[in-house]
Amino acid sequence: MKILFVIHRYWPYPGGAERYVQEMAERLVREGHRAAVVTTDAWDVEYFFAGGRRRVDRGNELCRGVPVTRLRARRFPFHTRACRLLSALAPVGARWRFVPPSPLVPSLGRELERHRDADLVHFTSLPFDSLMHASFSFARRRGIPYLITPFIH
């Protein structure tokens, strides 16, 4: 069985969702399954909505037996300004800010198609809806199961 993991960041970043996917993928490989990870090149999650943040080298690598592809993440144009404006329009006394950090990953669709042999797609980490939508659409077109583990803070 081949499981395709789609996540916003992956090892070496030490976050909870990232560690969860890393341990799942590595265990599946040790047990004789195939696993692959498609992720972005963001190190800092703030990279999705603010400039000057760290990134990881893009490309393909093998991490403890798991093929990992890191794709270029881009921010929506004028993201920071739009979030400030929408937050300013929030009701008086509201304790929230409008900061949807979902990245643009233009090459994600093409990369997912390279994994046409996947038996299952596992997405994790809301609120990255651009990644979720692309991976769900891929699984639906292929007629394969789609699993979400909703890590959210």
Side-chain angles (χ1 to χ4, degrees):
M1 174 176 243
K2 179 179 177 181
I3 297 88
L4 176 61
F5 292 94
V6 179
I7 186 168
H8 64 301
R9 296 180 300 183
Y10 189 71
W11 182 91
Y13 187 82
E18 297 84 352
R19 173 112 358 123
Y20 171 82
V21 169
Q22 178 186 9
E23 290 181 14
M24 292 267 299
E26 289 175 7
R27 181 174 181 170
L28 287 164
V29 167
R30 280 193 311 271
E31 292 180 358
H33 298 281
R34 293 179 301 138
V37 174
V38 175
T39 188
T40 72
D41 63 345
W43 174 274
D44 298 311
V45 76
E46 294 84 6
Y47 177 80
F48 298 146
F49 54 90
R53 305 301 180 178
R54 294 179 296 171
R55 296 165 56 171
V56 180
D57 290 336
R58 288 190 303 271
N60 299 310
E61 59 186 296
L62 195 62
C63 297
R64 297 182 184 157
V66 178
V68 177
T69 302
R70 298 180 196 279
L71 304 173
R72 181 173 185 215
R74 299 167 71 187
R75 292 177 295 286
F76 284 95
F78 306 108
H79 185 95
T80 302
R81 289 182 186 153
C83 289
R84 284 185 191 142
L85 174 63
L86 291 169
S87 294
L89 297 174
V92 174
R95 293 186 168 200
W96 56 272
R97 289 181 21 211
F98 186 82
V99 184
S102 195
L104 291 170
V105 185
S107 59
L108 180 58
R110 286 188 309 275
E111 180 59 32
L112 293 173
E113 290 299 326
R114 290 186 53 233
H115 296 275
R116 297 180 68 81
D117 60 340
D119 298 301
L120 178 137
V121 176
H122 184 185
F123 172 80
T124 188
S125 294
L126 303 174
F128 303 106
D129 56 346
S130 62
L131 302 174
M132 183 173 56
H133 181 267
S135 58
F136 174 73
S137 296
F138 168 75
R140 189 176 210 182
R141 281 191 312 276
R142 301 290 305 139
I144 60 176
Y146 185 76
L147 175 67
I148 297 176
T149 302
F151 288 95
I152 188 166
H153 299 275

